[in-house]
Amino acid sequence: MSATVSIPRRWPSSIWKYNGWFKNFFLDPNLKGTYPDVFFQWLKDEKINFMISDEDLNLLKKHQLDLIGWNYYRPCYITGDNYVDNLKELHQKSHTFFVPGFKQVFPKGIEYTKWNWIIDPKMLATGAEILWKEYQKPLMIIENGMGDFDDKAAPLILDQDRIRYLSLHLAEVFKAFDRGVNLIGYSL
C-alpha cells in the first residue's frame, strides 16, 4: 500500500538542502545504504578529505534497518538563508544552521508552546506520508509529547495543554493510517 502524498519535485532548494541534512543524512545510510549528496558536497566545500570505503557502503546496503523510529515533537518551517527577518511577520528571530542554504523561521499566526516550540499536528500525518513514500519501511512514532512549565507547588497538575496537544496529534496518527502509511506503533 503506498501513501497518497507525493514528494514535490519543485520544492525550493532550501527545503531539499534542509531535508538532506536533517532527514536523509540520518535515514539514508540506515535505510538505503547510501549518504545524501549534500554530505559529500559539504565535505568537498570544506576541503575535508574523508572517504567512505566501498566495503562500508556494501555493509550498509546489506544490513538496512527494517523500520523507521521517529521522534515527532514539532515541525521546522524553512526558508532560504537570504530571507531577511521581518519581526512583524515572525514570532521570534529566525535560526541559522551549521551549513548555509536555509534557516528556520517562526511565523506569527500559528500556535507555540510555552517553550516556543511550534505546535502543528498536521505535519505529523504529512511527515509520516513523506517518510513512507520515500523509504517504504514501517514507521513507529517512538516519542511524541510537549514540554511545559508545570506548577509543581500545586497538589495536582491540571495538564489541559498536554491533553489537547496529544489529542490533536493522535488524530493525525489516524489520518496517517487512513492515507495508507504503514504506522506500526505510537508512543509518548
Side-chain angles (χ1 to χ4, degrees):
M1 195 181 308
S2 69
T4 58
V5 74
S6 61
I7 299 170
R9 296 199 185 282
R10 296 182 192 253
W11 271 350
S13 63
S14 56
I15 301 290
W16 284 106
K17 195 165 191 182
Y18 174 84
N19 281 340
W21 278 108
F22 291 94
K23 178 176 63 73
N24 303 98
F25 182 72
F26 296 98
L27 295 179
D28 286 6
N30 295 297
L31 299 167
K32 293 181 176 180
T34 61
Y35 285 89
D37 291 338
V38 294
F39 174 60
F40 293 110
Q41 185 61 51
W42 178 78
L43 290 172
K44 183 178 173 183
D45 292 347
E46 296 295 316
K47 297 176 178 45
I48 298 172
N49 187 16
F50 177 77
M51 299 293 293
I52 300 170
S53 72
D54 289 339
E55 183 180 340
D56 286 343
L57 288 173
N58 288 333
L59 189 64
L60 285 172
K61 285 181 182 170
K62 185 177 178 183
H63 299 285
Q64 296 174 24
L65 297 180
D66 297 328
L67 64 93
I68 299 170
W70 186 24
N71 298 346
Y72 181 87
Y73 293 100
R74 59 189 169 169
C76 286
Y77 294 126
I78 301 299
T79 189
D81 60 0
N82 60 348
Y83 173 79
V84 177
D85 285 355
N86 178 348
L87 295 180
K88 291 180 182 178
E89 297 174 346
L90 297 177
H91 176 74
Q92 66 188 47
K93 289 179 67 174
S94 62
H95 292 178
T96 57
F97 295 89
F98 69 99
V99 292
F102 54 88
K103 61 181 164 180
Q104 183 178 7
V105 291
F106 303 87
K108 285 185 179 177
I110 59 173
E111 193 174 351
Y112 290 83
T113 70
K114 293 172 191 155
W115 290 8
N116 276 324
W117 287 15
I118 294 170
I119 298 175
D120 190 352
K122 72 180 180 297
M123 296 308 293
L124 187 146
T126 300
E129 284 182 279
I130 289 169
L131 291 171
W132 171 245
K133 183 110 177 152
E134 185 169 351
Y135 295 103
Q136 292 292 300
K137 301 278 186 174
L139 175 66
M140 179 173 182
I141 298 170
I142 54 175
E143 289 186 24
N144 178 234
M146 183 186 91
D148 203 0
F149 298 107
D150 299 316
D151 179 6
K152 295 178 183 151
L156 179 66
I157 296 173
L158 300 175
D159 216 352
Q160 298 305 316
D161 291 338
R162 279 195 188 91
I163 291 168
R164 181 177 170 277
Y165 175 94
L166 291 171
S167 296
L168 293 170
H169 284 77
L170 278 169
E172 293 299 311
V173 167
F174 288 106
K175 284 181 187 175
F177 278 132
D178 292 343
R179 295 175 188 174
V181 176
N182 186 4
L183 190 58
I184 61 170
Y186 173 86
S187 180
L188 299 176

